[in-house]
Amino acid sequence: MIKYSETHEYVRVEGEFGFIGVSDYAQKQLGNVVYVDMPEVGDELEAGEDFGAIESVKAASDLIAPVSGEVVEINEALEENPRLVNADAMANWIVKVKIADPEQLSELMDEEQYAAFCASH
């Protein structure tokens, strides 16, 4: 299951874990990604609060957590090659979290709702 936030982050849910990244729509808007600022393993993310930043040649954007949870892994490949986000945003997640409150997922959009949201903005 993949859910999306209005700030263009996604969370791909696998059991009690969520893989958080930026949507394909967001990476296209950003252009060439040159840097991803990630939290540390063990950090606690709060839904709706920033947990890092993503920078492109055009702009820098805060990363906003779609769900709360503890960071259990970061995508270290992005430290060496942040442009992986441009290559495949859905495969190149930024952080893996242990989801603290699965109920928060119901506040996010599914793929169809997110597509309609993007089309209207």
Side-chain angles (χ1 to χ4, degrees):
M1 168 175 58
I2 299 176
K3 294 288 208 162
Y4 297 86
S5 69
E6 290 186 359
T7 53
H8 304 288
E9 287 82 13
Y10 69 81
V11 56
R12 186 178 76 238
V13 180
E14 293 183 11
E16 63 184 339
F17 297 102
F19 294 83
I20 298 172
V22 295
S23 70
D24 193 51
Y25 176 87
Q27 71 81 15
K28 285 178 181 160
Q29 297 300 310
L30 283 165
N32 292 333
V33 174
V34 295
Y35 180 70
V36 181
D37 178 33
M38 295 178 271
E40 307 267 325
V41 170
D43 285 357
E44 292 288 335
L45 303 190
E46 286 295 323
E49 294 188 9
D50 69 272
F51 67 89
I54 188 165
E55 296 177 22
S56 72
V57 292
K58 291 198 299 192
S61 281
D62 286 337
L63 295 166
I64 308 297
V67 293
S68 299
E70 179 186 350
V71 176
V72 294
E73 190 178 341
I74 62 167
N75 188 346
E76 293 179 10
L78 296 180
E79 292 177 331
E80 298 292 316
N81 188 1
R83 292 188 69 182
L84 288 170
V85 171
N86 296 121
D88 188 340
M90 300 309 286
N92 290 291
W93 49 272
I94 296 169
V95 295
K96 177 181 176 182
V97 299
K98 184 171 183 191
I99 298 172
D101 181 4
E103 288 295 311
Q104 291 175 334
L105 295 167
S106 67
E107 298 166 24
L108 301 170
M109 295 176 273
D110 64 22
E111 207 157 336
E112 191 176 299
Q113 292 166 322
Y114 181 67
F117 174 79
C118 291
S120 69
H121 286 80

